Amino acid sequence: MEAIKVRELRKSFGDFEAVKGVSFEVGTGEVFGFLGPNGAGKTTTINMLCTLTKPTSGHAEVAGFDIVTARDDVRRHIGLVFQDQTLDGYLSAEQNLRLHAELYGVESKVVKPRMEQVLRMVGLWERREAQVMTFSGGMRRRLEIARGLMHSPRVLFLDEPTIGLDPQTRASIWSYIRQLQEQEEITIFMTTHYMDEAEFCGRIAIMDGGEIVALESPERLKEAVGADRIRIETADDERAIAELGERFDLEATVSEGAVSFAVADGEEFVPRLFAELEVPIKAVNLSRPTLDDVFMSHTGSTIRDAEESSAKNRNRAVMKAMGGRR
Amino acid sequence: MSTDAFVAPPTVEVRVPPRSWRSEVRAVKIVWRRELIRFQKDRMRIVTSLVQPLLFLFVLGSGLQQLSAASTDGVDLKTFIYPGVLCISVMFTGMFSAASIVWDREFGFLREMMVAPVRRSSIVVGKVFGGATVASLQGLILLALAWAVDVPYSLGLVLGVFALQLLLAFSITAFGVMIAARITQIQSFMGVMQMIVTPMFFISGALFPSGDLPGWLAVLNRLDPITYAVTPMRTLVFANLDLSAEASQTLNPPITWFGWEVPIALQVFMIFALGMAMLGIAIAEFNAGD
Ligand SMILES: Nc1ncnc2c1ncn2[C@@H]1O[C@H](COP(=O)(O)OP(=O)(O)OP(=O)(O)O)[C@@H](O)[C@H]1O
Ligand SMILES: [Mg+2]
């Protein structure tokens, strides 16, 4: 059975369309990732699937229940870790979990053992009585994951579960996620900006500007790009791009301060490049396809470039919002 | 990072039951309990919210005593304004309790509650009851000061005052939560509440008798819902004092509508009915939200 089925899901805020009719399916037990730059519509999609926001149009089922007509049933079967923190800092870790268990109607006699299980799983059992206020960012994140698991959800939604965490904590969170998948037959739907994390997913959907531009397993996506990627630093990027177009019929772009393009066989091409290009080359870098390249081939920019430009837009929007406030 | 991170503990089976009235009751109870736990942990709030009532009672009360000795028929001004101060304390803490829903939104916790498989009304009811309980617990501290203003204790006084405080706290919190459904920023929320609650408090006659007021003030006074909380409170406290009929008449005249004396029971009922109505509106607003 499919854990999540989505058909033509759309969400508009006023006349801005944040999610432009996405469709996909996630199988039971799968780890499914949403990859995309800021503002791509990842959180908006999750919010619709979790019944927090009503879709403008389209249809979706989670754990076999319709997200519009059976909101409660959906809620009973999902766990959620939001992008922003939603713990009560005044309460202890244990009190936060207990509160959650009560809200979800977890049978009283299993609350304690389940709490111990999830807290041990994220390595916070010893700190259960401490106020959450005193926790570090990584500890809070792990506690939120534990909380999302309190009621044994069928589908766990994780919106950027590892953002802002150090690599060590990120790795440990990933190990919990995989452990979970083995132990609880749980379906995991997550979003991330980190390319290296997307590799852990069974399948990933690349989202950009409210649309899914690619959906495959990471290996297949990389294969599809096929080509090797060459990045060169030159004295004159503009001219280099023009020359590459004329001489080799290659389409090159500038990203992160270097000219980059794809070729079928990089090792053979590099010597020709040095021999035939007139613009002086300062450095050259050849790489096998990565998810970054996949992202680039589908969206025309690296995820970091996409983020920088959208961060600029967002700052502008924030300034506008602040200026326009009553 | 602790070392037990990778040990797999046995899986505990959990099933979330379908929604029932029992799960709603549990939700109300836990939201209510959370307010109490937070109140307990927040000593500072207990202290700061006592400042204002104490200022009114001891500074204003003692200060103006010199002017008013002649006209209060021998009753100390502090004793006179004591019932009013019992009300103000509850009003302002009730308001702060309601503000917690705005904080919860700001810190994201509201979302955790809103996405739970329970009715939003259960969350709102739990919030309002929790806020009301906290406010009236705060009120109990002021009740302990009765001896300082020459009000003798009796079981009736303690129970009566607590019940009235609970009722007033409920209505004020419901009012606050109703406002909080619309105003989502803490600064604006506090501003709006101050702007509404402070005049209501002054006009209510918490600090003066409502007998011979100038026409415009008398009208405002009768329109102010808080009047109908202050008068029963004062009647209750004065019933414990040994007052002359005259003093009682000047200091605690009955509230009249065009000459008709409004019964105390009706006044209390009005506060209750208003509270319920605002709770209803608050629930409707939270249900309508995304
Ligand atoms: N409540 C809202 N009102 C108006 N616009 C919104 C609202 N929520 C989201 N948007 C817009 O929808 C777009 C998608 O936002 P969303 O939060 O889904 O992005 P995201 O992919 O989760 O990005 P991030 O990686 O930054 O979390 C953004 O342009 C955002 O400004
Ligand atoms: Mg997001």
Side-chain angles (χ1 to χ4, degrees), chain B residues 165-184:
Chain B
Q165 283 185 323
L166 199 59
L167 182 65
L168 179 59
F170 161 74
S171 298
I172 291 284
T173 316
F175 172 68
V177 171
M178 177 180 88
I179 302 281
R182 286 292 170 88
I183 299 180
T184 52

Side-chain angles (χ1 to χ4, degrees), chain A residues 216-322:
Chain A
E216 259 306 346
S217 69
E219 295 73 36
R220 296 277 286 280
L221 280 174
K222 282 186 278 188
E223 275 168 30
V225 173
D228 292 341
R229 180 148 290 274
I230 296 180
R231 293 162 53 82
I232 51 175
E233 283 172 40
T234 66
D236 184 348
D237 290 351
E238 297 279 311
R239 235 180 81 207
I241 291 175
E243 252 187 84
L244 283 166
E246 284 161 26
R247 283 171 202 260
F248 306 103
D249 199 23
L250 286 171
E251 216 177 292
T253 52
V254 177
S255 74
E256 290 166 29
V259 175
S260 99
F261 54 90
V263 292
D265 192 343
E267 276 159 35
E268 228 164 74
F269 184 76
V270 171
R272 277 183 65 202
L273 188 66
F274 276 97
E276 296 177 34
L277 205 66
E278 276 171 13
V279 183
I281 298 174
K282 289 192 277 187
V284 83
N285 179 322
L286 165 69
S287 56
R288 301 282 168 218
T290 63
L291 277 180
D292 262 307
D293 303 321
V294 174
F295 189 83
M296 177 120 181
S297 76
H298 286 285
T299 65
S301 60
T302 69
I303 195 158
R304 238 165 301 146
D305 286 339
E307 257 157 37
E308 266 161 30
S309 76
S310 99
K312 260 180 233 146
N313 285 338
R314 203 168 25 178
N315 283 345
R316 228 172 281 141
V318 168
M319 306 278 257
K320 225 160 80 187
M322 292 200 312

Side-chain angles (χ1 to χ4, degrees), chain B residues 8-20:
Chain B
T11 303
V12 179
E13 279 300 320
V14 181
R15 203 178 54 85
V16 176
R19 192 149 95 174
S20 68

Side-chain angles (χ1 to χ4, degrees), chain A residues 50 52-54 72 75-76 80 82 84-88 90-92 95-96 99-100 102-106 108 110 113-114 117 120-121 123 126 131 142 147 150-152 172 175-176 179 183-184 325, chain B residues 1-2 4-19 23 26-27 30-31 33-34 37-38 41-42 104 107-109 111-118 120 123 185 287-290:
Chain A
C50 298
L52 269 170
T53 310
K54 288 196 183 96
D72 270 339
R75 289 173 184 203
R76 278 170 39 215
L80 257 174
F82 296 101
D84 328 296
Q85 212 237 174
T86 62
L87 294 163
D88 185 339
Y90 284 92
L91 302 187
S92 67
Q95 283 170 329
N96 266 289
L99 198 145
H100 183 88
E102 293 287 325
L103 282 179
Y104 280 74
V106 175
S108 310
V110 300
R114 178 73 183 171
Q117 185 200 350
R120 281 195 190 284
M121 181 171 201
E126 273 72 40
Q131 266 196 349
R142 287 185 283 153
R147 184 179 67 181
M150 256 318 268
H151 58 283
S152 291
S172 75
S175 82
Y176 307 136
Q179 188 184 333
Q183 277 182 30
E184 314 224 340
R325 193 164 287 155
Chain B
M1 193 117 320
S2 96
D4 63 352
F6 301 97
V7 180
T11 303
V12 179
E13 279 300 320
V14 181
R15 203 178 54 85
V16 176
R19 192 149 95 174
S23 55
R26 268 179 94 181
I30 195 68
V31 175
R33 275 245 314 267
R34 170 171 174 257
I37 294 172
R38 290 190 59 150
K41 290 192 177 169
D42 199 357
D104 278 348
F107 290 113
F109 193 78
R111 247 191 314 165
E112 150 78 357
M113 296 193 284
M114 288 299 189
V115 79
V118 291
R120 290 199 173 165
I123 307 286
Q185 273 182 309
N287 273 334
D290 229 7

